[in-house]
Amino acid sequence: MTQRQAAIVGIGATEFSKESGRTELQLAAECAKAACDDAGISPKDIDGMITFTIDNSDEIGLARCLGVKDLAYTSRIPGGGAAAAATLYHAMALIDANVCENVLIWRAMNERSQYRFGQTPTNMSGYTAGHGTGSLLWCIPFGAMTPGTWAGLAGRPYMEKYGVTNRDFGLLSVQQRKYASTNPKAWFYEKPITLDDHQNSRWIVEPVLRLLDCCQESDGAVAILVTSMERARDLKQPPVRILGATQSIPRNVEVIANFYHDDLAVMPEAEGTAKRLYKQTGMKPGDMQAAMIYDAFSPHVFMQLEAFGFCKRGEAKDFIASGEIDIGGKLPINTHGGLMGEAYIHGMNTMAEGVRQVRGSAVNQVRNVRNVLVSSGMAGAILARD
Amino acid sequence: MTAPNEAAPAPDAVPTAAKPTRLAPIVTLDAKFFWDASDREEFVGQQCGACGKFRFPPAPMCAHCNSLDTRIVQLSGRGKVVSWIKPIHPPAFGFKEPPTVAVIELEEGTRFVSNVVGIAFEAVTMNMAVEVCFEATMGNHKVPVFRPAQ
Ligand SMILES: [Zn+2]
């Protein structure tokens, strides 16, 4: 199977902060260099570059910083963080096809100090072609202008159908902050919360999201370096095989403004990603020892746990309440603290944690990890030991 | 596509009490028919001339049969609430009180994000029947909102 040939050999990140004090291009260059150093590959030998459509750092500008000799391929993925894992999918395909040798994936953002996704937008130019978010235009005159409002509208039918409350969401938040509290890289290092803290945090969107159901707004950058499995075995780190990677954008599904598909209580994109990924790899939910799941907002995690078959529809609340996502549970998730606890680098830092779990170098290391699912909702990958 | 900024004043513009403070819609060429009708207090939609299916958001081609034969028809304006929220923070721009933002499933089968007006947020229920009415926006436009069915 051709999908078995790509491997992640380097991860790199800047510190995660609320004010980086430097440009996004500099952040991009720093994390890319760190990923190359981690792998033992010269930045000059990068020949493929992938980022998000909404990343502000120019690939040519970044290539110039790194001294890239000859770039063979560049691409960008639409769909914001929901498509984060699609970067791995592109990188895998490039390696499989022998188009590139060393593919750099990066995401750099001053998403707290320079602009804020959580505030009312000051210009509407994001709602144009190439970002996968055109339908958001239909929300603006009605007071739904932030990701929280869109996620709230998309999350409520799930709560209504399965009797899920905001308190149920709180247990996820508490668990992720527990992981973050022991992760020195996390913004919320040594700052665990209780369920009462969650229930006393202010409403962002009634009755779905409180403050502690929302990811952070962060400055920072993360890079991932992908090469061939063959080459990976000669490099510095234990190779992390990309066993499979895929994306799913079913009909009438759209990133975050997801109000038009048949059953609003499910995430068809996550179900589609799961189906395709399990078919591609021959694996099943029970083969995963951990999962890194995009947690922009609590409901997204619940719906993805169900879509990937870790529990039945409507049962994520019970799965979480019974401790299954804790370090000793059936499926520890977001062991770095997630986008809520560590930082919001648009899902890239969550994929990097998947790499650390497979390497065995995570601060909250799960025992005997062979396979880790990384899901950003609309795309996913299974990372595995060599 | 028209420049997205044209129809939408900067959110930091100071609204005056007498004038409507709701943001005007951002009008794309593919949806201009809808907002033009809305200004006349008409709630319209696209129906395929070949297979009869309704569609939303607006598109130049029918997803079912790929026909370009598109009819702009009056919709009943009746539907039911299938999701509803109250944005608290940041405050919804252009609203003095937090609005009830809802997903309305229309009789014709399509869905539409709008507001539910004329009823307290806490009194709204799943599948509650609603009907269209119109509210004014900045720039002398009107947008469809929904109130409990009479
Ligand atoms: Zn048709």
Side-chain angles (χ1 to χ4, degrees), chain A residues 107-350:
Chain A
R107 179 80 177 102
M109 52 207 297
N110 280 330
E111 196 270 310
R112 184 62 175 75
S113 65
Q114 200 174 319
Y115 47 87
R116 298 180 63 178
F117 289 173
Q119 297 296 310
T120 302
T122 50
N123 82 65
M124 307 293 174
S125 62
Y127 310 130
T128 51
H131 303 306
T133 51
S135 294
L136 294 179
L137 292 175
W138 293 92
C139 298
I140 301 301
F142 306 104
M145 302 176 195
T146 59
T149 58
W150 308 322
L153 265 187
R156 183 145 195 198
Y158 170 77
M159 297 172 78
E160 293 286 325
K161 182 165 179 176
Y162 296 112
V164 178
T165 66
N166 176 263
R167 195 174 184 281
D168 293 322
F169 292 151
L171 293 173
L172 170 73
S173 185
V174 169
Q175 177 63 56
Q176 295 201 170
R177 288 290 294 271
K178 183 178 166 189
Y179 284 133
S181 73
T182 53
N183 171 9
K185 299 276 170 58
W187 179 257
F188 287 120
Y189 177 52
E190 295 182 329
K191 291 194 178 73
I193 58 165
T194 64
L195 188 55
D196 278 348
D197 293 333
H198 176 274
Q199 288 294 287
N200 291 327
S201 69
R202 67 176 167 178
W203 282 114
I204 300 299
V205 175
E206 270 190 58
V208 185
L209 305 172
R210 292 181 185 275
L211 178 65
L212 295 176
D213 290 303
C214 305
C215 60
Q216 301 176 54
E217 295 175 295
S218 304
D219 284 13
V222 174
I224 295 177
L225 194 64
V226 179
T227 184
S228 66
M229 196 65 213
E230 191 179 34
R231 179 144 197 250
R233 294 198 179 102
D234 299 329
L235 296 171
K236 274 166 70 178
Q237 304 291 343
V240 173
R241 187 190 289 267
I242 303 176
L243 201 58
T246 194
Q247 162 180 302
S248 172
I249 309 178
R251 193 171 112 68
N252 271 338
V253 162
E254 184 164 335
V255 172
I256 207 157
N258 212 359
F259 317 125
Y260 305 109
H261 57 279
D262 289 342
D263 183 355
L264 294 182
V266 302
M267 259 175 99
E269 64 273 41
E271 295 199 334
T273 298
K275 190 175 165 191
R276 207 167 263 162
L277 199 52
Y278 290 144
K279 186 176 177 199
Q280 192 183 54
T281 58
M283 305 213 106
K284 52 190 188 304
D287 294 325
M288 306 301 137
Q289 286 77 46
M292 303 303 142
I293 298 177
Y294 195 77
D295 61 318
F297 301 101
S298 306
H300 293 150
V301 177
F302 280 57
M303 293 167 89
Q304 286 176 81
L305 281 171
E306 294 169 17
F308 278 90
F310 296 115
C311 51
K312 295 201 179 92
R313 280 187 184 175
E315 294 182 1
K317 62 177 165 43
D318 309 309
F319 189 79
I320 291 169
S322 59
E324 301 295 11
I325 64 168
D326 203 345
I327 199 78
K330 266 188 204 145
L331 187 81
I333 67 169
N334 297 339
T335 46
H336 56 325
L339 308 180
M340 296 177 186
E342 188 183 63
Y344 180 74
I345 313 298
H346 236 169
M348 286 288 291
N349 52 317
T350 297

Side-chain angles (χ1 to χ4, degrees), chain A residues 141-142 153 156 204 261-262, chain B residues 22 83-84 86 88 111 115:
Chain A
F142 306 104
L153 265 187
R156 183 145 195 198
I204 300 299
H261 57 279
D262 289 342
Chain B
R22 183 192 287 267
S83 182
W84 69 108
K86 184 157 80 166
I88 305 296
R111 298 205 192 94
N115 296 125

Side-chain angles (χ1 to χ4, degrees), chain A residues 3 10 44 72 201 341 368:
Chain A
Q3 282 85 2
K44 297 176 175 55
S201 69
N368 302 320

Side-chain angles (χ1 to χ4, degrees), chain B residues 47-55 61-69:
Chain B
Q47 184 176 26
C48 177
C51 76
K53 288 271 198 324
F54 289 89
R55 62 179 181 263
M61 180 180 281
C62 172
H64 297 275
C65 72
N66 299 130
S67 171
L68 291 170
D69 181 3

Side-chain angles (χ1 to χ4, degrees), chain B residues 1-27:
Chain B
M1 184 162 186
T2 51
N5 292 331
E6 274 178 23
D12 56 1
V14 179
T16 60
K19 290 180 178 172
T21 55
R22 183 192 287 267
L23 280 177
I26 297 166
V27 180

